[in-house]
Amino acid sequence: MQVIVLGGGLMGTATAFFLARRGVRVRLIERGLIGAGATVASFGNIRRSGRALEQMPLAQRSLALWTRSEALLGRDVEFRATGHLRLIFDEASRADMRRFADAARPLGLALEELAPAEIARRFPGLGPTAIAASFSPQDGSANPRLVGPAFADAAARAGAEIVAEAGVPDIARTESGFELSTRQGVFGADVLVNCAGAWGAEVAGRFGEAVPLGMHGPQMGVTEPLPHRILPVVGVWSQQSGAYLRQVERGNIVFGGGVPRLPVDESGFGRFDPSGLSRQLGKLVRMCPALRDVAIIRHWSGCEGYVDDGLPVMGASANTPGLFHAFGFCGHGFQLGPGVGDAMAELVATGACETPIEAMSIARFAA
């Protein structure tokens, strides 16, 4: 069996890596540079709290792989299980957190609920006006700039062929499978795994599978380096757009959220909108007042695919044998990446997946 994985972000590189580890002949094709799309624009959050419950078994599978990432990949991608703290500023959000905690507990996630005095004792300087917080000690973060290339390099060492800067491929169905005509040549395969990110719906559409997906860009920034004081990833329980931040080991504070993501056109280039900056920074200062006088050194955005129902598309095609999908992770895919790759490799190689992914099937849009 020859497999083509289309897309060189975290989902595609992880899928290629785990397929190669299973001894499957696999070729990864990326239109641009490896790991240069939504993955590198990501915040790097590895969190399970607040995640759609349908994704929780996959998130658990992925977390187990994150903890082994350095051994698996042969390099440090800066995964750190520093914990994930989510601050609560109103009673409605506390009730929401408690409902989620009750539902997630049987799925393997145990959240600690912290009172204000406990927040102040364990995380001084964070959320001084918060009425409560949740804490997930096993979650954390990793470096988005490192992880895609690390999976691709490890896949190549395991036997995968990596084809970058291939341009937008022309995809044809053949009697034996699929043929992709690219800037780097023409490639055939028995199996095609669509990990094309925000362009995944376009690929699925070529096979008559319509997915309601929009492209949006996050609003991200980073501060000057500061003395290292903030250990966990910090977010907010909110029915609106909650802000989030983390401090990297070099001292910079990476932040995002708090303002709507912006639509991205067909060019695929996300943009940062400075008009929302004061509102975003106000939410960050509420989380950590010490950031009030800190300098911001860079802003960025990217292009992420958002499915209308908030769940990604993952699993076998509903109408085309040999076609599989893993795209549209709605800005929440970074934590899931290794688990998605492992699960997709298992599904392609064996025809089944031990982790329940049926809720994410593309067949839900068939009607």
Side-chain angles (χ1 to χ4, degrees):
M1 177 171 61
Q2 172 70 56
V3 178
I4 286 178
V5 176
L6 182 62
L10 176 53
M11 304 306 174
T13 56
T15 299
F17 170 70
F18 285 109
L19 280 168
R21 276 173 57 93
R22 287 177 173 268
V24 176
R25 290 188 301 146
V26 57
R27 177 180 289 118
L28 174 70
I29 297 179
E30 161 57 33
R31 58 190 280 170
L33 298 174
I34 298 297
T39 301
V40 78
S42 167
F43 176 67
N45 201 357
I46 296 174
R47 67 159 179 88
R48 292 166 296 159
S49 57
R51 186 170 293 281
L53 295 174
E54 295 92 336
Q55 297 177 3
M56 196 60 69
L58 185 62
Q60 295 289 87
R61 179 173 185 159
S62 198
L63 181 61
L65 293 166
W66 277 115
T67 64
R68 299 169 48 213
S69 57
E70 187 168 359
L72 284 169
L73 302 176
R75 71 174 71 170
D76 180 15
V77 294
E78 298 180 7
F79 167 70
R80 304 290 185 266
T82 56
H84 188 254
L85 179 73
R86 295 190 79 179
L87 301 167
I88 300 170
F89 293 99
D90 58 81
E91 290 295 344
S93 296
R94 173 152 52 189
D96 184 45
M97 182 275 291
R98 288 174 173 173
R99 283 192 296 269
F100 174 83
D102 288 343
R105 191 173 298 109
L107 300 174
L109 174 61
L111 290 181
E112 302 176 29
E113 181 176 342
L114 309 183
E118 187 69 2
I119 300 171
R121 184 184 71 81
R122 294 173 60 177
F123 307 106
L126 296 178
T129 62
I131 65 171
S134 69
F135 186 61
S136 175
Q138 293 179 311
D139 291 328
S141 63
N143 191 329
R145 293 180 174 273
L146 300 179
V147 68
F151 267 108
D153 289 349
R157 293 195 301 272
E161 180 184 355
I162 309 298
V163 181
E165 298 188 84
V168 178
D170 180 42
I171 306 173
R173 190 81 167 96
T174 67
E175 290 185 3
S176 58
F178 304 88
E179 185 177 88
L180 277 68
S181 300
T182 79
R183 192 187 299 160
Q184 303 288 9
V186 179
F187 305 100
D190 307 292
V191 171
L192 175 64
V193 185
N194 171 19
C195 296
W199 293 269
E202 179 183 330
V203 175
R206 300 184 191 186
F207 297 92
E209 295 187 291
V211 176
L213 179 144
M215 300 186 342
H216 298 274
Q219 304 294 286
M220 307 296 300
V222 64
T223 74
E224 63 182 318
L226 305 166
H228 199 282
R229 297 287 187 271
I230 303 174
L231 189 61
V233 177
V234 188
V236 177
W237 282 96
S238 175
Q239 297 298 318
Q240 301 175 347
S241 179
Y244 42 84
L245 63 88
R246 65 184 178 95
Q247 187 171 26
V248 303
E249 292 171 355
R250 292 167 292 282
N252 309 77
I253 306 288
V254 183
F255 63 88
V259 291
R261 299 172 178 88
L262 295 182
V264 176
D265 63 23
E266 292 78 7
S267 70
F269 289 101
R271 62 186 179 89
F272 176 80
D273 180 5
S275 68
L277 182 59
S278 62
R279 182 157 47 114
Q280 185 180 48
L281 295 183
K283 294 182 178 182
L284 291 174
V285 169
R286 189 186 194 192
M287 299 162 66
C288 182
L291 298 181
R292 185 178 303 277
D293 299 318
V294 171
I296 299 168
I297 61 174
R298 187 166 64 92
H299 298 287
W300 70 91
S301 184
C303 182
E304 299 172 331
Y306 288 78
V307 182
D308 283 2
D309 64 3
L311 289 175
V313 175
M314 186 175 171
S317 165
N319 64 12
T320 304
L323 176 64
F324 297 83
H325 302 291
F327 68 88
F329 285 84
C330 305
H332 303 144
F334 189 81
Q335 192 277 348
L336 297 175
V340 170
D342 194 28
M344 292 302 297
E346 180 189 13
L347 180 62
V348 169
T350 71
C353 181
E354 66 179 17
T355 301
I357 59 173
E358 292 78 15
M360 295 173 273
S361 170
I362 200 169
R364 69 188 192 270
F365 302 115

